[in-house]
Amino acid sequence: MSRIFGIDLGTTNSLIAVMEGERPQIAADPQTGNPLLPSVVAIAPQGEVFVGERAIAMEPHLTVERDGRIHAIGFEGGEAGAVVRSVKRYMGLGGDEVAAEDRHRYSFADFSGPVVRFAIGKRTFTPSQISAEILRALKARAAAALGEQVERVVVTVPAYFNDGQRQATKDAGRLAGLDVVRLVNEPTAASLAYGLHQMAEGRVAVYDLGGGTFDISILNIKGGIFEVLATNGDTHLGGDDFDRLLVDLLLGELPPQLRLDRHVWNSARLAAEAAKKRLSDHDEAELVLRLPDREVRKTISRTEFERMADDLVGRSLERCRMALADAQLAPAEVDAVVLVGGSTRMPLVRRRVAELFGREPMCSLDPDHVVALGAAVQAGVLMGSMGSRDDMLLLDVVPLSLGIETMGGVMERLIHRNTTIPTSVAEMFTTAVDNQTHVDIHVVQGERELARDCRSLARFKLGPIELQPAGVPRVEVTFLIDANGILNVTARDQRTGREHSIDVKPSYGLTDEEIERMLGESIDLGEQDLEQRMLISARNDAAQLLGALARQLEEYASLIQADERQHIEECASKLEGVQNGTDRAYISALVEELNQLTTPFAERIMDYTISRALEKKSVEELS
Amino acid sequence: MVQCPSCAWPSEPRLICPQCGAPLGVELDCFAALELPRKLALDSRELEHIYHEAGRRVHPDRFAAATPAVRQASLKSTALLTRSYRTLRDPVSRGRYWLELMDEKLAENNQRVPPELAELVFEVQQQIGELREAQNGSVNTLCAAVRERREELAGLAARTQEELERNFARWDGGAGERQDLVNELKSALSKIAYLRTLTRDVDRALEGTAAH
């Protein structure tokens, strides 16, 4: 039987890991050696899908940013494509549940339905479908790196994910052809990576500052049981905010028009990110932005940067205090602090977190890897279930109370939040009028008093019930929450002992039929073998590069020398000759060569367009 | 008799198959699930230990590679175990559950104020009302008074619970007139239930004040 892998399906980056002997190990991209896969998915107009670095490379071609909104742009002769980042923010949500900040980032097909759908060209994609592409890429990566098939996985989710978000994550796995054997809470996974489950008893704070989100979880560990005491966070606070501080500093003196230029902004962002990283182990960093007519240079010391960044860190600490208050703990009562997320490399973050909790945080593992490593540890435990390992047991808790709507719209709690899972509760239902054949049941999740203020999970009809006077039928409905925090419902007639079939209609998320249909659709895209997919990608790269080059040679003919042009055209015609063949390696090699040959030309084009933007600016200033 | 989903061995209904150690996935009462005699006085640490040990043996993570029938049994048994532990862990819910097993329902209408609490309840409700109506100036003094009242309620609940647990021990020991004991248990249980509701009302009123 194949091994079970651990996957961290993150907002900014995703990773896959597996136990190698006693230790978890990340499977890195065999070509680049990068252990992180950016959680970015590009869907090209022709329908090909690119994930990670390759999707990022596609971004300038597929989207433009206008008024803070990402617009898909079309290719000649094709439908529009798009690049989707941070798809995790949309997992398992209905249109009305998407955060205000996230509503305008992409074009959506339908905000009224039970699932948000991205509109890309004429097609629509659910967040689970997009996430499935990330999972497929991880699967392919592990297969390429380790030469082994990935079939079964443990996937991590934020502790606060509700039933719908968890279900959507499992759906994504299914769409990627993976069996998700277990969902594990991210802070729990981080604690596993540090071996904290071996702690006899104690409280752990997991401080997770990622690229775009911040989460703080307070866990209680006792006898191998993980209880989430409290979670808090800010879904829009992360490394990107720190980069923006430096971008603002760098672009502060430039004319506003240039600051809005996508290329300039992007270069500034890259410079900012590099400087931020350098400041983590140097006292000083230089920000350099090259423009056609000048170079903007700024030197910033770590002290200055920390002064600027202090408010952002303060915001995260405020959330920590709120979580501690919810858990009814003083900071000093926490026995261990675990750092997760790339942004916790900043010395300022480490210092301020240490100050708050009065102890040094654990940071011996790479904060970007911690969650994936923990997922692999849990995968190892699950594999051990075929053999002997029985030292550890991971019991998560249900993050939100589950109940049903009763008379007057009041929510009756059946399973309280923080109950250890799996757990179940049985509730007896009867009829209100004579000869009633069905009972309607509305299941909700949340902590509010009224059902309408909670999240609707599902509605179902119980029945058909035998014709009887009111109150006589007795149907026992069992609500069972499995180890992944997902609800299952069964019903049994007490008198006849007969099982009732229940047609559960999820209020949000996808029905089984929809999943089946998507599985059918995804076969032509996803289940082809790796080599075939790589060939298609290589062909598309070639077509795209050749197309763009032809346009540029025509439009910017004045920017290129005759001999340079000749070199480029020779290589291009070679590529044209083979681009529809089957020699994937050769096509890729020629694409690479042509890319290198055309780089100086492309840079001149960029300089030229930017200097034109500057000229325009000075004309405006004169008038 | 039930049949083990794993080894097909027939056994009495219980949590775990005596033959192969797999969970049987059958419904049991909370005491039977934890393999405890039906006694009312329980040591909470020991209870937790039993729960953890049994949990390790039946949890679905142990049966990730088993047949669907065994996995389903493991899920059902673990859910039963968790439910049983939570029911028995809290002396109040344990007492109520035990009464149910004895077919001795608590008075359906728990909202009726136990007579010995009537005066206290009246005073607390009045204080909460005043706090809700309060103007800025007097809020702090009122809050302090309500907090003091909350302490009083907590103390009373704790004393009632001690009384309840003493009665648990008396029942287990076979002392006293059975029906009198049952009535005392019922009265203590509804008193605690009422005190808990009242404490929640107080907490809400205090939270409401803090929010302004």
Side-chain angles (χ1 to χ4, degrees):
Chain A
M1 207 167 210
S2 63
R3 292 197 288 175
I4 305 177
F5 285 71
I7 288 180
D8 171 9
L9 187 59
T11 307
T12 313
N13 290 301
S14 298
L15 298 92
I16 185 163
V18 71
M19 290 304 278
E20 298 289 357
E22 290 291 296
R23 303 182 69 82
Q25 199 93 47
I26 309 275
D29 182 325
Q31 262 144 39
T32 65
N34 188 359
L36 306 181
L37 175 74
S39 302
V40 183
V41 176
I43 296 173
Q46 300 86 347
E48 299 74 25
V49 177
F50 304 88
V51 182
E53 305 289 355
R54 306 196 47 187
I56 293 173
M58 299 287 288
E59 206 163 20
H61 305 289
L62 288 175
T63 53
V64 295
E65 201 172 324
R66 239 178 267 134
D67 318 320
R69 197 181 154 135
I70 314 253
H71 293 262
I73 51 172
F75 274 63
E76 288 164 57
E79 290 177 49
V83 176
V84 181
R85 286 175 176 263
S86 307
V87 63
K88 193 171 177 179
R89 294 189 193 281
Y90 304 91
M91 288 293 272
L93 300 187
D96 52 337
E97 295 180 303
V98 174
E101 303 92 307
D102 298 329
R103 291 181 84 87
H104 302 296
R105 226 169 255 279
Y106 299 100
S107 304
F108 292 97
D110 182 10
F111 259 131
S112 60
V115 180
V116 288
R117 284 170 204 270
F118 296 92
I120 298 171
K122 293 192 187 112
R123 291 165 304 157
T124 62
F125 294 84
T126 64
S128 292
Q129 281 174 301
I130 305 272
S131 294
E133 295 299 340
I134 299 171
L135 292 174
R136 276 203 194 98
L138 289 172
K139 185 179 163 181
R141 162 181 291 198
L146 306 168
E148 112 183 48
Q149 283 301 309
V150 182
E151 285 159 2
R152 297 179 303 154
V153 292
V154 169
V155 181
T156 59
V157 290
Y160 57 78
F161 255 26
N162 62 35
D163 179 90
Q165 291 166 303
R166 285 166 197 265
Q167 191 64 59
T169 306
K170 279 200 95 173
D171 291 346
R174 209 168 140 197
L175 290 170
L178 292 169
D179 176 13
V180 179
V181 289
R182 185 83 140 86
L183 297 176
V184 176
N185 288 330
E186 284 159 11
T188 309
S191 313
L192 290 183
Y194 276 107
L196 293 177
H197 49 288
Q198 286 148 7
M199 200 169 177
E201 186 170 356
R203 287 154 188 141
V204 180
V206 181
Y207 178 102
D208 182 350
L209 187 61
T213 58
F214 170 68
D215 295 310
I216 172 75
S217 312
I218 314 285
L219 311 180
N220 189 45
I221 300 178
K222 190 175 184 185
I225 296 193
F226 288 69
E227 184 187 10
V228 182
L229 297 177
T231 69
N232 209 306
D234 185 333
T235 52
H236 291 84
L237 172 64
D240 301 344
D241 297 287
F242 293 87
D243 295 345
R244 214 160 294 136
L245 294 173
L246 294 176
V247 168
D248 289 346
L249 180 77
L250 189 55
L251 297 183
E253 290 152 28
L254 292 178
Q257 224 157 348
L258 260 187
R259 270 182 268 161
L260 291 175
D261 183 281
R262 197 173 154 73
H263 291 288
V264 172
W265 200 89
N266 202 38
S267 312
R269 195 188 60 76
L270 291 174
E273 202 184 331
K276 177 185 75 177
K277 285 182 178 163
R278 188 176 158 83
L279 285 172
S280 285
D281 40 33
H282 293 81
D283 291 334
E284 213 174 72
E286 195 177 34
L287 289 147
V288 188
L289 180 67
R290 285 194 187 83
L291 295 174
D293 64 333
R294 63 178 127 158
E295 219 175 49
V296 184
R297 282 176 181 272
K298 281 251 176 225
T299 304
I300 180 164
S301 72
R302 187 194 279 181
T303 322
E304 282 172 284
F305 175 60
E306 292 191 343
R307 207 164 33 229
M308 289 161 64
D310 204 54
D311 278 351
L312 289 175
V313 180
R315 260 167 70 192
S316 77
L317 296 179
E318 194 41 49
R319 296 285 166 177
C320 294
R321 285 189 201 99
M322 287 159 82
L324 284 166
D326 281 349
Q328 300 187 328
L329 290 178
E333 289 178 276
V334 169
D335 302 296
V337 181
V338 172
L339 295 183
V340 182
S343 303
T344 61
R345 289 201 185 86
M346 283 185 272
L348 173 67
V349 171
R350 295 191 172 183
R351 220 165 52 231
R352 297 289 306 273
V353 170
E355 276 165 23
L356 173 66
F357 290 99
R359 66 175 56 246
E360 280 305 314
M362 305 178 83
C363 50
S364 57
L365 297 172
D366 185 320
D368 279 321
H369 300 180
V370 174
V371 170
L373 293 172
V377 171
Q378 175 61 14
V381 170
L382 293 175
M383 284 188 281
S385 66
M386 299 163 227
S388 61
R389 271 180 84 131
D390 56 2
D391 48 340
M392 180 202 128
L393 180 66
L394 193 168
L395 296 181
D396 272 325
V397 297
V398 59
L400 297 163
S401 299
L402 180 128
I404 48 172
E405 182 173 348
T406 58
M407 293 229 281
V410 175
M411 186 237 201
E412 187 193 338
R413 242 162 254 188
L414 297 178
I415 295 175
H416 287 256
R417 72 185 295 240
N418 278 340
T419 299
T420 314
I421 46 178
T423 192
S424 68
V425 64
E427 189 72 4
M428 202 64 79
F429 289 88
T430 187
T431 49
V433 295
D434 291 348
N435 296 334
Q436 185 178 338
T437 55
H438 288 91
V439 179
D440 286 307
I441 297 174
H442 183 202
V443 190
V444 295
Q445 196 169 30
E447 307 311 315
R448 304 282 297 273
E449 296 295 311
L450 294 177
R452 66 175 150 85
D453 296 327
C454 293
R455 184 178 198 276
S456 176
L457 268 189
R459 289 175 189 277
F460 59 85
K461 265 194 198 313
L462 206 57
I465 298 166
E466 274 179 81
L467 300 183
Q468 293 275 357
V472 172
R474 288 171 70 77
V475 182
E476 189 186 62
V477 179
T478 304
F479 301 86
L480 186 148
I481 298 186
D482 69 15
N484 303 312
I486 291 174
L487 173 69
N488 303 267
V489 186
T490 50
R492 209 166 61 91
D493 195 304
Q494 280 284 289
R495 222 172 46 80
T496 62
R498 201 163 44 109
E499 296 272 331
H500 273 277
S501 70
I502 295 183
D503 183 20
V504 180
K505 288 216 183 339
S507 307
Y508 293 97
L510 303 165
T511 61
D512 271 4
E513 297 84 74
E514 281 175 293
I515 300 263
E516 291 302 333
R517 190 175 46 70
M518 286 179 188
L519 273 172
E521 281 170 2
S522 69
I523 285 168
D524 43 340
L525 274 181
E527 294 307 310
Q528 287 158 342
D529 77 77
L530 189 64
E531 181 57 30
Q532 187 64 21
R533 290 193 76 184
M534 285 169 74
L535 175 64
I536 294 174
S537 303
R539 284 178 183 169
N540 290 324
D541 285 351
Q544 198 198 328
L545 183 59
L546 289 169
L549 182 64
R551 273 200 307 280
Q552 287 167 348
L553 284 172
E554 196 182 310
E555 201 172 326
Y556 302 101
S558 62
L559 296 178
I560 193 164
Q561 307 287 330
D563 56 336
E564 188 186 6
R565 191 184 183 108
Q566 195 193 335
H567 270 122
I568 289 175
E569 281 177 345
E570 273 169 22
C571 182
S573 75
K574 248 194 275 178
L575 181 57
E576 268 164 1
V578 299
Q579 67 162 319
N580 292 321
T582 53
D583 190 345
R584 201 258 309 159
Y586 190 47
I587 299 173
S588 297
L590 281 173
V591 166
E592 185 57 39
E593 192 185 333
L594 188 58
N595 249 329
Q596 277 181 13
L597 273 176
T598 54
T599 301
F601 177 46
E603 280 170 0
R604 285 198 297 277
I605 295 176
M606 190 183 137
D607 288 355
Y608 175 74
T609 50
I610 288 173
S611 59
R612 272 212 312 210
L614 282 168
E615 276 164 28
K616 200 167 152 217
K617 169 70 190 168
S618 42
V619 170
E620 273 169 12
E621 271 169 353
L622 286 171
S623 57
Chain B
M1 295 295 261
V2 293
Q3 202 176 29
C4 172
S6 183
C7 71
W9 189 266
S11 89
E12 295 293 322
R14 48 187 294 180
L15 192 72
I16 292 164
C17 171
Q19 184 68 16
C20 73
L24 291 173
V26 291
E27 273 307 311
L28 300 164
D29 75 64
C30 293
F31 290 97
L34 288 152
E35 298 190 327
L36 287 167
R38 274 198 199 179
K39 291 213 166 177
L40 268 171
L42 285 175
D43 178 72
S44 65
R45 296 190 75 90
E46 196 188 321
L47 186 66
E48 188 185 60
H49 180 75
I50 293 172
Y51 165 61
H52 284 172
E53 285 312 306
R56 273 177 231 285
R57 296 176 64 186
V58 299
H59 194 273
D61 284 359
R62 292 265 159 273
F63 300 93
T67 63
V70 175
R71 285 216 305 273
Q72 190 59 30
S74 145
L75 187 57
K76 278 173 100 170
S77 292
T78 309
L80 166 73
L81 196 63
T82 308
R83 196 173 69 227
S84 304
Y85 172 62
R86 286 185 81 86
T87 305
L88 299 188
R89 185 177 58 172
D90 172 28
V92 179
S93 75
R94 189 197 314 151
R96 285 165 161 262
Y97 176 74
W98 181 81
L99 285 174
E100 263 175 50
L101 278 182
M102 306 255 306
D103 238 7
E104 289 272 1
K105 287 257 161 142
L106 269 187
E108 280 300 321
N109 187 2
N110 269 318
Q111 298 309 313
R112 197 171 51 90
V113 183
E116 62 273 36
L117 289 180
E119 198 181 334
L120 179 69
V121 169
F122 179 74
E123 282 171 23
V124 173
Q125 297 292 10
Q126 202 170 23
Q127 270 183 315
I128 292 177
E130 279 170 22
L131 186 61
R132 285 207 184 103
E133 303 286 303
Q135 301 300 313
N136 286 341
S138 54
V139 168
N140 285 344
T141 355
L142 283 171
C143 261
V146 171
R147 278 206 192 90
E148 217 168 279
R149 191 60 98 172
R150 195 193 180 287
E151 291 303 306
E152 192 185 328
L153 291 174
L156 187 54
R159 284 197 299 281
T160 316
Q161 188 163 321
E162 279 166 25
E163 180 193 316
L164 179 74
E165 294 190 51
R166 269 199 304 279
N167 281 333
F168 281 175
R170 280 174 67 201
W171 178 275
D172 289 341
E177 178 59 44
R178 301 272 94 177
Q179 195 53 47
D180 288 353
L181 258 179
V182 168
N183 288 341
E184 272 184 51
L185 282 178
K186 279 188 184 176
S187 133
L189 284 170
S190 52
K191 215 162 134 186
I192 296 175
Y194 207 86
L195 286 170
R196 283 185 179 176
T197 316
L198 206 57
T199 311
R200 204 171 59 225
D201 288 348
V202 169
D203 283 342
R204 264 195 213 137
L206 284 172
E207 261 172 45
T209 318
H212 286 300

